[in-house]
């Protein structure tokens, strides 16, 4: 028995005015998802807890069966891990942006004019060569990931992730000094290191040849690194130990890949998987089918639905759901229905109306040989609320799936 869990990021929504007060799931033409609802068991799921808007990281931890409130230790380290940075358990990592600041360190553009990968790579090389004088005793790694994004990883003894962000989060405000959040020696030391590093980065970036060329071409110079989301790698028992399974993830976003790596899952890279609405949905589905040969559990993560909601684009969100539906059709045509479970859900609601993650429950459906079919005929927020799973928590899903796979042990005698 095998299981595939499809997570469409932020797919769940609230009723939308532009869609006649229906949700995108209620609007989209999605024969395969509805087929799943007809033949499976449905329900709604609170990723963390009712009314709590989850991040993609905490929600994915929960959907993998972990207690997110206990294991979560910040976004930076997960993003670093998912981007392939070699991060150690003692490291403190931050999520970074190349940004443009003026001479008073006031932010002019938080993405340095959406700098190209090429320019960002060159600038990352410049700042990686920096040597810090003094007796702070630490090493650092700075790597750019996609466009303006990057990760900063601080390595040394007596560090702490309980420090604030340098990113003020909006233009027109001055870069913030990183501060200790608990007033302890470790966090004060970490804040001092990061503040010193960021100023050194600024000095080097400001005179970097790439930036001089950018200014000549009329582009914004990437003269500052903004950092946020300090974190360390959470210590969790890998899925392979908890359920005796081989697990893999097919996805493109560093954050979700980082969570999966922490859970001990293998990451499967797919050509054409971009984490954007233009991603190759069928290529990802094909990768899942190939992975079924060697894995018991595969998580297929699709980011595009969340992107459409943050961009507050109802039409795009409906189109993406229809593309996901086609990819599911491909999956359904290739799996052995007697030997596989297929589950589809969202990691949270991302509201087209607010452009934010919200705390509403998300729909969930599970198909497979031994599920108790219910009377639900459509896969959407309101239909699934009448389903046989009723209302479950995010962390209930993995035990339910693993029990269907025969991978759970009896509690008691
Ligand atoms: Zn998400
Ligand atoms: Zn989001």
């Amino acid at each position: 028995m095998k299981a595939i869990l499809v997570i469409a990021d932020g797919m769940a929504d609230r009723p939308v005015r532009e869609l006649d007060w229906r949700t995108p799931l209620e609007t989209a033409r999605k024969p395969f998802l509805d087929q799943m609802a007809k033949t499976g068991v449905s329900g709604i799921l609170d990723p963390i807890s009712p009314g709590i808007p989850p991040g993609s990281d905490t929600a994915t931890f929960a959907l993998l069966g972990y207690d997110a409130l206990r294991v979560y230790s910040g976004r930076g380290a997960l993003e670093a891990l998912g981007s392939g940075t070699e991060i150690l358990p003692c490291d403190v990592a931050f999520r970074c942006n190349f940004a443009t600041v003026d001479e008073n360190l006031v932010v002019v553009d938080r993405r340095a004019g959406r700098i190209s990968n090429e320019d960002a790579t060159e600038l990352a090389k410049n700042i990686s060569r920096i040597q810090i004088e003094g007796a702070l005793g630490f090493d650092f790694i700075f790597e750019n990931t996609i466009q303006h994004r990057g990760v900063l990883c601080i390595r040394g003894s007596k560090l702490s992730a309980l420090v604030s962000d340098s990113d003020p989060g909006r233009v027109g405000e001055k870069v913030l000094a990183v501060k200790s959040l608990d007033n302890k020696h470790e966090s004060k030391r970490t804040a001092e290191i990061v503040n010193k590093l960021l100023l050194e980065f600024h000095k080097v970036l400001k005179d970097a040849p790439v930036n001089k060329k950018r200014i000549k071409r009329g582009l914004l110079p990437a003269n500052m690194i903004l950092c946020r989301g300090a974190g360390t790698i959470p210590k969790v028992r890998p899925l392979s130990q908890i359920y005796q399974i081989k697990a893999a993830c097919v996805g493109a976003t560093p954050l979700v890949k980082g969570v999966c790596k922490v859970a001990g899952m293998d990451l499967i890279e797919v050509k054409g998987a971009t984490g954007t609405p233009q991603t190759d949905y069928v290529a990802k589905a094909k990768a899942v089918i190939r992975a079924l040969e060697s894995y018991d559990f595969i998580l297929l993560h699709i980011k595009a639905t969340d992107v459409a909601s943050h961009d507050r684009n109802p039409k795009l969100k409906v189109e993406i759901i229809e593309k996901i539906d086609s990819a599911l059709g491909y999956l359904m045509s290739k799996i052995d229905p007697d030997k596989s479970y297929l589950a589809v859900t969202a990691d949270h609601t991302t509201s087209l109306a607010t452009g934010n993650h919200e705390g509403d429950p998300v729909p969930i459906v599970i198909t497979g040989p031994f599920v108790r079919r219910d009377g639900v005929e459509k896969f959407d927020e309101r239909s699934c609320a009448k389903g046989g799973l009723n209302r479950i928590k995010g962390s209930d899903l993995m035990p339910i799936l693993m029990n269907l796979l025969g991978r759970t042990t009896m509690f008691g005698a």
Side-chain angles (χ1 to χ4, degrees):
M1 285 288 179
K2 311 247 170 177
I4 303 165
L5 168 61
V6 179
I7 302 179
D9 205 304
M11 177 167 66
D13 213 310
R14 292 172 171 175
V16 184
R17 181 191 294 272
E18 295 93 320
L19 301 176
D20 259 341
W21 300 110
R22 285 169 302 171
T23 68
L25 271 172
E26 287 169 337
T27 310
R29 216 192 130 264
K30 43 174 182 46
F32 297 107
L33 274 164
D34 292 342
Q35 177 68 19
M36 285 185 73
K38 282 183 196 126
T39 56
V41 62
S42 302
I44 52 173
L45 173 155
D46 291 296
I48 304 291
S49 190
I52 304 294
S56 295
D57 43 13
T58 52
T60 307
F61 269 123
L63 292 172
L64 290 174
Y66 296 101
D67 178 354
L69 294 173
R70 201 179 56 79
V71 304
Y72 187 62
S73 57
R75 174 174 189 148
L78 298 170
E79 192 121 356
L81 201 60
S83 319
T85 304
E86 291 200 21
I87 173 166
L88 301 177
C90 58
D91 296 347
V92 173
F94 295 81
R95 212 180 159 219
C96 299
N97 272 21
F98 277 100
T100 308
V101 295
D102 68 12
E103 59 282 4
N104 300 317
L105 299 185
V106 171
V107 178
V108 176
D109 189 318
R110 288 184 64 249
R111 301 185 179 94
R114 291 213 176 248
I115 186 168
S116 66
N117 287 337
E118 208 185 354
D119 283 1
T121 303
E122 200 50 46
L123 291 171
K125 275 189 207 151
N126 293 161
I127 53 183
S128 295
R129 290 190 206 109
I130 290 174
Q131 306 277 343
I132 300 287
E133 303 293 320
L136 285 169
F138 70 94
D139 273 327
F140 75 91
I141 303 170
F142 180 86
E143 281 173 6
N144 62 306
T145 54
I146 303 167
Q147 295 168 337
H148 58 276
R149 302 179 190 91
V151 293
L152 170 65
C153 174
I154 313 283
R155 181 166 298 168
S157 58
K158 298 199 172 97
L159 297 174
S160 161
L162 286 173
V163 293
S164 63
D165 302 344
S166 80
D167 186 350
R170 58 179 71 112
V171 296
E173 285 187 23
K174 201 172 168 182
V175 176
L176 303 167
V178 174
K179 289 193 179 123
S180 154
L181 294 176
D182 64 356
N183 219 14
K184 288 194 177 154
H185 170 72
E186 287 80 2
S187 54
K188 284 184 189 164
R189 172 176 141 77
T190 309
E192 187 188 347
I193 289 173
V194 177
N195 287 329
K196 196 160 187 169
L197 260 184
L198 295 181
L199 280 181
E200 290 297 323
F201 288 174
H202 175 57
K203 272 190 217 157
V204 170
L205 289 173
K206 162 160 100 70
D207 301 323
V210 169
N211 275 330
K212 291 199 166 145
K213 274 189 222 151
R214 286 179 67 81
I215 293 169
K216 263 194 200 147
R217 282 155 57 208
L219 300 172
L220 289 170
N223 57 11
M224 191 70 195
I225 300 295
L226 300 176
C227 66
R228 63 189 191 277
T232 52
I233 302 178
K235 287 183 200 72
V236 304
R237 268 180 86 203
L239 296 180
S240 59
Q241 267 181 31
I242 305 172
Y243 303 110
Q244 318 299 317
I245 51 164
K246 264 191 89 183
C249 160
V250 174
T253 29
L255 188 62
V256 170
K257 282 159 79 176
V259 172
C260 291
K261 223 165 163 182
V262 168
M265 300 167 75
D266 287 339
L267 303 181
I268 297 172
E269 300 297 334
V270 180
K271 214 173 154 248
T274 55
T276 69
Q278 290 76 38
T279 194
D280 191 338
Y281 300 86
V282 174
K284 287 173 96 168
K286 283 185 177 163
V288 170
I289 296 300
R290 277 196 302 276
L292 272 182
E293 287 168 24
S294 31
Y295 293 94
D296 308 297
F297 172 73
I298 298 149
L299 189 162
L300 168 59
H301 178 264
I302 298 164
K303 179 73 183 163
T305 25
D306 187 56
V307 176
S309 261
H310 286 301
D311 290 348
R312 303 174 77 168
N313 187 337
K315 191 168 161 270
L316 179 64
K317 193 163 181 184
V318 169
E319 280 169 22
I320 292 165
I321 290 171
E322 291 177 350
K323 284 183 186 158
I324 293 173
D325 189 68
S326 303
L328 283 169
Y330 176 84
L331 276 185
M332 288 158 77
S333 73
K334 296 289 176 187
I335 56 176
D336 180 344
D338 295 329
K339 292 189 181 140
S340 356
Y341 287 91
L342 178 60
V344 179
T345 190
D347 57 348
H348 46 77
T349 293
T350 310
S351 163
L352 281 160
T354 66
N356 294 324
H357 296 188
E358 301 294 353
D360 310 59
V362 301
I364 159 87
V365 61
I366 306 173
T367 59
F370 294 115
V371 299
R372 292 180 187 154
R373 287 188 184 197
D374 53 27
V376 176
E377 304 227 315
K378 286 187 178 305
F379 181 80
D380 58 59
E381 298 82 350
R382 280 179 268 219
S383 304
C384 288
K386 301 182 196 110
L389 285 171
N390 301 135
R391 186 169 185 157
I392 59 173
K393 280 201 314 267
S395 58
D396 293 334
L397 178 61
M398 200 63 182
I400 291 170
L401 284 176
M402 291 302 120
N403 185 226
L404 286 165
L405 257 60
R407 301 277 179 172
T408 42
T409 45
M410 189 166 69
F411 174 56

